């Protein structure tokens, strides 16, 4: 059976949500973060050579990296759901935003998080470069959500599952005022009303207050 090794307040939230959207069976194994460091415990790090969340096991397969896991589950168990067909006019947008989530938005946000609170942060020009990239990303996101209700287009897709984490949970670590982005705020509220998201929230992180505004 597909097993999700879940670390709270991490990108493994995406995998629980995806399985709930697809209504596929899975086993959830929860791990608690180390109290002193807030990092993954040693038994979680031992699951995969890279040692970060998320990780799934499926038979003799162990797979890390949330984007890869999402694509794996869609290919193995998705039955052509939550991803537009390659012939669809929405396919290119789906691919772009699916990969933009981690390759661009999360990457720039992680740089900001690394400098967060550092007394010398203003003296690092590279930080301003990544702050500008993140600001540009949020402007693009606002425009996209003005043009269409979801990132791929008219239908909810796995691209939305990928994008939701950097737009919500990640803002707990890198604070960002989104009050100037009404389309984004409406989108987050709309997504949070999905039954599968509500169920996955109760399962994966009921104690965590996800930032929706």
């Amino acid at each position: 059976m597909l097993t999700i090794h879940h670390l709270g307040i991490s990108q493994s939230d995406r995998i629980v949500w995806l399985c709930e959207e697809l209504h596929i069976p899975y086993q959830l194994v929860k791990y608690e973060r180390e109290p002193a460091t807030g990092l993954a415990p040693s038994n979680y790090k031992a699951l995969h050579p890279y040692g970060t969340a998320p990780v799934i096991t499926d038979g003799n397969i162990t797979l890390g990296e949330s984007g890869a896991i999402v694509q794996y589950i869609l290919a193995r168990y998705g039955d052509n759901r939550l991803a537009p067909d390659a012939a669809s006019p929405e396919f290119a947008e789906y691919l772009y935003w699916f990969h933009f989530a981690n390759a661009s938005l999360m990457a720039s946000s992680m740089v900001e998080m690394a400098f967060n609170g550092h007394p010398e942060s203003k003296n690092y020009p590279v930080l301003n470069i990544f702050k500008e990239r993140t600001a540009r990303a949020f402007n693009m996101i606002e425009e996209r959500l003005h043009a269409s209700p979801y990132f791929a287009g008219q239908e909810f897709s796995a691209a939305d599952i990928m994008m939701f984490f950097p737009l919500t949970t990640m803002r707990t670590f890198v604070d960002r005022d989104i009050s100037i982005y009404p389309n984004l705020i409406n989108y987050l509220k709309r997504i949070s009303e999905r039954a599968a998201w509500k169920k996955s929230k109760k399962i994966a992180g009921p104690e965590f207050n996800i930032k929706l505004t």
Side-chain angles (χ1 to χ4, degrees), residues 24-95:
I24 61 174
Y26 64 94
Q27 179 183 9
L28 189 73
V29 180
K30 290 188 175 183
Y31 298 77
E32 298 297 328
R33 291 178 177 271
E34 295 285 0
T37 64
L39 300 177
S42 57
N43 59 338
Y44 195 97
K45 293 177 181 178
L47 291 169
H48 189 275
Y50 200 53
T52 61
V55 175
I56 63 165
T57 49
D58 191 21
N60 62 354
I61 293 172
T62 300
L63 186 62
E65 194 62 42
S66 61
I69 293 170
V70 170
Q71 288 190 288
Y72 173 86
I73 291 174
L74 289 177
R76 286 292 301 272
Y77 304 108
D79 193 28
N80 299 316
R81 293 171 289 167
L82 298 187
D85 185 83
S88 167
E90 297 186 345
F91 184 62
E93 291 287 353
Y94 167 79
L95 287 179

Side-chain angles (χ1 to χ4, degrees), residues 108 111 124-136:
S108 60
V111 171
Y124 292 98
V126 68
L127 177 59
N128 291 327
I129 292 173
F130 281 96
K131 281 186 174 181
E132 192 277 331
R133 284 186 183 180
T134 308
R136 191 163 69 241

